[in-house]
Amino acid sequence: AKVEESSLDISTSSCAVNHDLDFLSICESSTSASSGASPEAFNASRMRTAPWYTHRMALVGIDCRFGSVLGGLGTYTRSLVTALLRRRDPWNYVLFVDDANAEWLHPIRKTGVEIVEASFPHYSFSEQTEFPNLIQDHEPDLLLFPHFNVPLSCPVPFICTVHDLILHRFPNEAGWLKRSAYRFVLRQALSRALAVSTVSDYTKSDIRSVYGSVFDAKIHVMYPGISAEFKRTTKDAQDVIRAKYRL
């Protein structure tokens, strides 16, 4: 479905993030077999062996299962989707969501974009067995995962995002089984991804400190943008806050 810029009401959602521009550059690099893949886009050798390299990309899927979450991953997912859908891209989108009736999807539904319910919990058996079949049914040319929870048998090329390596650094009360599953899933995602985005240079350096330089060529730092909710205030207003919190 083509999306006009004016068709999305983003008044209750975070506005465009820098990621939409960077993801767009990666996606555009796959739309023509005649255009070489630069090192800044993704690993050229993997691109040339990808099954979709010889045809124009028509459908991009986005894993939006975190979309209903109130915390950071939810905000990140909603912001990314909103920003991408406001563009006039030469491809369509299909959104895989945990709840097709979620409130955040109401303005998005007006655009006519395809929304598919995929209520498979993260780290679950159904995520590994049923989600890949659902993905295959809709045949996206590329899938964006705003996290590293990617089914081990994901049937299409994908890009994933790594926000941090918190369970590597601060396992706290996480049990051995959870930590083992986390490390296995993360390494598999890094190994199999067409490209990996991180939200900071620190996360990229953290990945290198754990896994060495083996994934360097495919990792791209994409800083999150700033929501439209945040605006510059007057100096007087800033002084009030500084005084209140002794800044």
Side-chain angles (χ1 to χ4, degrees):
K2 284 192 175 181
V3 181
E4 298 297 328
E5 283 196 36
S6 59
S7 62
L8 270 181
D9 175 11
I10 60 170
S11 59
T12 59
S13 173
S14 293
C15 197
V17 290
N18 291 340
H19 273 68
D20 80 297
L21 300 174
D22 294 303
F23 274 130
L24 181 69
S25 67
I26 293 177
C27 292
E28 283 180 331
S29 297
S30 68
T31 61
S32 172
S34 62
S35 60
S38 71
E40 293 301 318
F42 46 71
N43 186 291
S45 62
R46 290 200 61 169
M47 174 183 168
R48 295 194 182 97
T49 58
W52 43 266
Y53 180 74
T54 57
H55 72 274
R56 186 172 180 82
M57 188 165 62
L59 184 64
V60 173
I62 306 177
D63 178 13
C64 300
R65 290 176 296 155
F66 275 116
S68 298
V69 175
L70 295 178
L73 286 172
T75 300
Y76 178 86
T77 300
R78 293 188 298 273
S79 300
L80 178 62
V81 170
T82 300
L84 287 173
L85 291 182
R86 291 183 71 244
R87 305 184 63 90
R88 292 187 177 92
D89 294 328
W91 49 75
N92 296 325
Y93 289 96
V94 54
L95 310 182
F96 297 97
V97 304
D98 64 328
D99 179 5
N101 296 311
E103 184 177 352
W104 75 276
L105 291 170
H106 292 172
I108 289 175
R109 194 177 294 280
K110 297 175 184 177
T111 68
V113 69
E114 186 177 9
I115 297 174
V116 178
E117 189 153 314
S119 53
F120 311 118
H122 294 90
Y123 298 109
S124 68
F125 185 70
S126 61
E127 178 183 53
Q128 298 299 330
T129 58
E130 298 179 48
F131 194 19
N133 293 332
L134 185 63
I135 294 169
Q136 185 65 61
D137 288 343
H138 292 272
E139 299 183 321
D141 297 286
L142 181 71
L143 199 52
L144 305 181
F145 288 89
H147 197 242
F148 60 81
N149 286 82
V150 181
L152 299 178
S153 57
C154 182
V156 299
F158 65 86
I159 299 169
C160 68
T161 300
V162 178
H163 297 265
D164 55 58
L165 270 62
I166 194 166
L167 280 185
H168 278 81
R169 303 305 186 193
F170 308 102
N172 297 326
E173 301 301 318
W176 175 85
L177 183 60
K178 181 177 181 178
R179 285 185 283 114
S180 298
Y182 155 83
R183 288 172 180 262
F184 178 73
V185 170
L186 175 57
R187 185 176 185 89
Q188 287 297 307
L190 291 171
S191 299
R192 296 169 50 242
L194 192 66
V196 177
S197 73
T198 65
V199 298
S200 67
D201 285 304
Y202 180 82
T203 300
K204 181 176 181 178
S205 65
D206 223 10
I207 292 174
R208 174 177 257 224
S209 69
V210 173
Y211 298 104
S213 60
V214 63
F215 301 123
D216 277 4
K218 65 168 70 176
I219 296 177
H220 313 275
V221 179
M222 303 179 186
Y223 302 108
I226 300 174
S227 169
E229 298 173 21
F230 299 99
K231 299 177 176 63
R232 290 187 178 276
T233 61
T234 64
K235 183 178 184 304
D236 289 342
Q238 293 177 35
D239 289 340
V240 170
I241 298 298
R242 288 195 178 99
K244 179 179 180 179
Y245 295 103
R246 300 179 182 180
L247 298 178

